[in-house]
Amino acid sequence: MSINARLNELGITLPKAAAPVASYMPVVVYGDLAYVSGQLPFVDGNLVTGRLGEDVNLDRGIAAARACGLMILAQLVEAQISLDRVQRIVKLGAFVNSVPNFTDQPKVANGTSDLMAEVFGDIGRHARSAVGVPVLPLNAAVEVDAIIAVSSA
């Protein structure tokens, strides 16, 4: 089954890829790896902002991380990398805007991790970091970057 068919089966529509907010490339392919810059969470076209443990609850944080994962996939498509070329989600880095005593960053990051497993199956399982940070660009609640192995075109 193609990944686009899988997305349709799951009822997932990818968002429009967000333009960079600074001087960087959203995706750089080097060899057989696609490095996807940190993606912010857009839900229904709006950036999810705030801090986990303060004004963003755990469920909203998980949804925000899932939205970051959708944006990662959208950036691959925008870079003209067919999702069928994905050989493995190698590593995700999740950054969670959170108060000092919030310790559920791994649960928040599962929003992206679970999405990758839903879409890609076993090749969607990956290594990961999930860290709490005091602030993110544009006051985003979550940011996730990725390293993805891709086959040649």
Side-chain angles (χ1 to χ4, degrees), residues 10-64:
L10 294 169
I12 294 173
T13 302
L14 295 180
K16 179 179 177 355
V21 297
S23 182
Y24 62 88
M25 299 285 296
V27 178
V28 171
V29 177
Y30 188 77
D32 63 351
L33 295 175
Y35 296 85
V36 183
S37 297
Q39 299 300 306
L40 302 181
F42 289 88
V43 174
D44 297 327
N46 298 308
L47 180 64
V48 179
T49 61
R51 297 176 82 194
L52 275 288
E54 185 175 272
D55 54 358
V56 177
N57 67 28
L58 181 59
D59 288 340
R60 181 92 167 134
I62 292 167

Side-chain angles (χ1 to χ4, degrees), residues 27 29 73-83 85 153:
V27 178
V29 177
L73 300 181
Q75 291 293 359
L76 290 173
V77 171
E78 180 71 15
Q80 299 183 353
I81 299 168
S82 167
L83 297 180
R85 289 179 50 202

Side-chain angles (χ1 to χ4, degrees), residues 13 27 30 32 34 50 58 71 89 96 101 107 117 121 128 131-132:
T13 302
V27 178
Y30 188 77
D32 63 351
L58 181 59
M71 191 60 70
I89 306 299
V96 181
N101 65 343
K107 290 179 183 174
R128 185 183 83 187
V131 297

